[in-house]
Amino acid sequence: MLRSKAALAKLGSLRTYASASSVAPTVLSTANGIKVAAVEGHADSPLASISLVINHGSRFETAATSGAAHYLKAFGFRNTQERTSFRTVREAELNGATLTASATRENITYTVQCFRDAVPYFVDILGDIAAATKFSEHEFRDIAKLVRFEALAARENPQARVIDGVHQAAFRSGLGNSLYALESSPVHTGDAVREYAQAAMQSGRVAVVGTGVDAATLAALVGESKLAGLAGSAVAGAKAKFTGGGHQIYDSAAPVSHYALAFESDPRSAAALASLLGAQRRLKWGAGGASPLAKLAFTEGFAAESFSFAYSDAALVGVLVSAPSAHISAAVEKVAGVIQASVAKASPEAVARAVAATRLDVAEAQATQLGVIGELSKLALGQGPSASLEAVDAVAASLAQTAAKVFSAKPVAASIGLSQTTAYVDTLGF
């Protein structure tokens, strides 16, 4: 996801709700088909948030629009027919509000965190973003500098780059498209971004989600804003297709190499499978934890972190390994051996440990405003199963059988390091 660390920290640390399931969310539709999802939360909290969520992330880009989603994200809260960006930011500051824009492979999201009494004003601003952004050429030139910086920063971040690469290896196009506008992007004008935005701003692929606000009230405000003028239905993109066995290599002579090994998973079980891999250490000190992968990393002196990415129709689960370049091949081979010998043949104790860890992670996410916004977005746009405690419990009974199937299949990989010292994915025995 593209978002500044400062914005993530501020938005993610606001624990406004005890859990997303403690107050059931309400989903409504406006007259033109925009989905509105909201959870009112605690009545004594003055905080609210509203988000414009557009189902037109980088997975919907083509060769002619590669990078456009990154630019569209960056055009959030810029000049519109009604307001200059200076006015928008100034009035947000006067209201004590925070404005953020983010992008995933599926959605572009513009979020306002504010006090409840300011919600009507900021719904109007979100309507302006959707229907009246200017996309002027002089502003595009300024935005292009920001986009270029974010893309270069991601390239210099080996973990971000290898995760981007493993998506490309797994899905090629669609979900394999980069989150970033690369140097090869054909998007060079504001008009090109406008065309991509016009395809995105269809009422059937737009949702407005809110926390700390009543759904009926929010739907009424949406109906009175420029969002009411949007039309069009949701457009189904090409279904994601996982292609096992691919390996994306970025040659580098750096002293530390990085290697992502990923498997295809059902979105419903991806988080639990990542916990079953258990590469993360949950103790600050000690022998790395009880899982075989955590013990291996601690004993051998390299870093390993499990990950999962769940989308509406696909998911990836795997391990990111970082080790001195001279030892990366041996480290990856040992990680692969542990996955085959232990994780794919998980014991009841390991499954129970993974389920408990996943439940905790889900509960923590539900306790943040950012987590609630994410779940409301999925609910409104019908993007896969909910990340709830009930959903974790539903996959728990069959988690061992699921792991045996997932971790015996052919994976994909992406790596940063010298190709001469890299363990190719087809040599790992899967």
Side-chain angles (χ1 to χ4, degrees):
M1 176 180 290
L2 307 179
R3 189 192 295 270
S4 72
K5 291 183 178 179
L8 272 173
K10 184 171 184 180
L11 188 57
S13 64
L14 290 173
R15 297 178 177 270
T16 308
Y17 305 99
S19 74
S21 60
S22 61
V23 181
T26 302
V27 181
L28 302 173
S29 293
T30 63
N32 62 332
I34 293 177
K35 297 295 184 182
V36 177
V39 57
E40 193 164 7
H42 298 304
D44 58 351
S45 173
L47 295 179
S49 74
I50 49 173
S51 300
L52 174 65
V53 188
I54 306 153
N55 182 213
H56 208 60
S58 61
R59 76 172 294 177
F60 298 99
E61 294 172 350
T62 64
T65 60
S66 176
H70 190 177
Y71 279 101
L72 183 55
K73 186 272 301 185
F75 260 105
F77 304 105
R78 301 287 180 161
N79 293 336
T80 70
Q81 300 296 337
E82 299 292 332
R83 297 174 175 87
T84 64
S85 59
F86 175 82
R87 176 185 168 187
T88 297
V89 171
R90 180 62 174 157
E91 292 181 349
E93 290 175 339
L94 291 173
N95 280 280
T98 299
L99 313 178
T100 58
S102 61
T104 68
R105 285 178 162 78
E106 294 198 300
N107 299 328
I108 299 167
T109 304
Y110 307 109
T111 295
V112 179
Q113 174 209 320
C114 60
F115 291 106
R116 291 191 185 211
D117 57 6
V119 165
Y121 173 74
F122 288 109
V123 170
D124 281 343
I125 286 182
L126 293 181
D128 280 352
I129 292 175
T133 298
K134 285 187 174 181
F135 299 106
S136 57
E137 295 305 322
H138 75 274
E139 197 166 27
F140 175 85
R141 289 191 290 271
D142 290 337
I143 286 173
K145 297 174 185 176
L146 171 64
V147 167
R148 190 179 303 115
F149 169 76
E150 290 179 340
L152 289 174
R155 174 173 290 187
E156 293 302 313
N157 182 327
Q159 289 84 4
R161 192 178 187 191
V162 81
I163 290 298
D164 217 36
V166 84
H167 276 83
Q168 184 178 9
F171 301 111
R172 300 182 181 177
S173 60
L175 288 175
N177 293 341
S178 176
L179 279 172
Y180 305 94
L182 305 178
E183 293 177 355
S184 58
S185 171
V187 179
H188 300 302
T189 65
D191 285 340
V193 185
R194 177 186 288 108
E195 291 177 6
Y196 189 79
Q198 289 171 344
M201 301 301 179
Q202 306 293 317
S203 58
R205 62 193 314 164
V206 170
V208 176
V209 304
T211 64
V213 59
D214 174 69
T217 300
L218 184 58
L221 292 170
V222 170
E224 295 168 359
S225 73
K226 286 185 174 66
L227 289 164
L230 300 184
S233 58
V235 179
K239 184 175 175 60
K241 182 180 179 181
F242 179 89
T243 304
H247 192 152
Q248 186 77 23
I249 297 180
Y250 303 103
D251 267 307
S252 170
V256 177
S257 293
H258 308 271
Y259 194 110
L261 184 68
F263 301 81
E264 181 182 22
S265 169
D266 187 294
R268 293 169 294 186
S269 56
L273 288 171
S275 295
L276 188 62
L277 282 168
Q280 282 88 340
R281 294 176 59 184
R282 290 184 177 266
L283 297 174
K284 187 173 182 179
W285 297 283
S291 77
L293 273 182
K295 289 180 178 178
L296 174 68
F298 179 82
T299 303
E300 298 290 333
F302 61 84
E305 181 179 357
S306 56
F307 61 81
S308 65
F309 296 93
Y311 303 102
S312 56
D313 58 347
L316 289 179
V317 59
V319 180
L320 173 59
V321 179
S322 300
S325 295
H327 306 297
I328 186 67
S329 183
V332 170
E333 289 170 354
K334 290 177 180 178
V335 166
V338 168
I339 292 174
Q340 293 165 328
S342 300
V343 184
K345 302 173 183 177
S347 66
E349 179 186 356
V351 169
R353 192 166 57 236
V355 170
T358 307
R359 284 174 58 86
L360 178 62
D361 292 341
V362 167
E364 284 189 329
Q366 290 178 340
T368 67
Q369 196 174 61
L370 183 62
V372 176
I373 290 169
E375 284 305 300
L376 289 174
S377 301
K378 290 169 59 178
L379 181 64
L381 294 170
Q383 293 177 332
S386 168
S388 64
L389 297 180
E390 294 79 9
V392 176
D393 294 338
V395 302
S398 59
L399 189 60
Q401 295 92 324
T402 302
K405 179 180 179 181
V406 168
F407 296 123
S408 61
K410 187 178 293 186
V412 294
S415 59
I416 298 176
L418 293 175
S419 56
Q420 295 89 340
T421 60
T422 298
Y424 283 79
V425 69
D426 59 4
T427 68
L428 298 178
F430 289 100

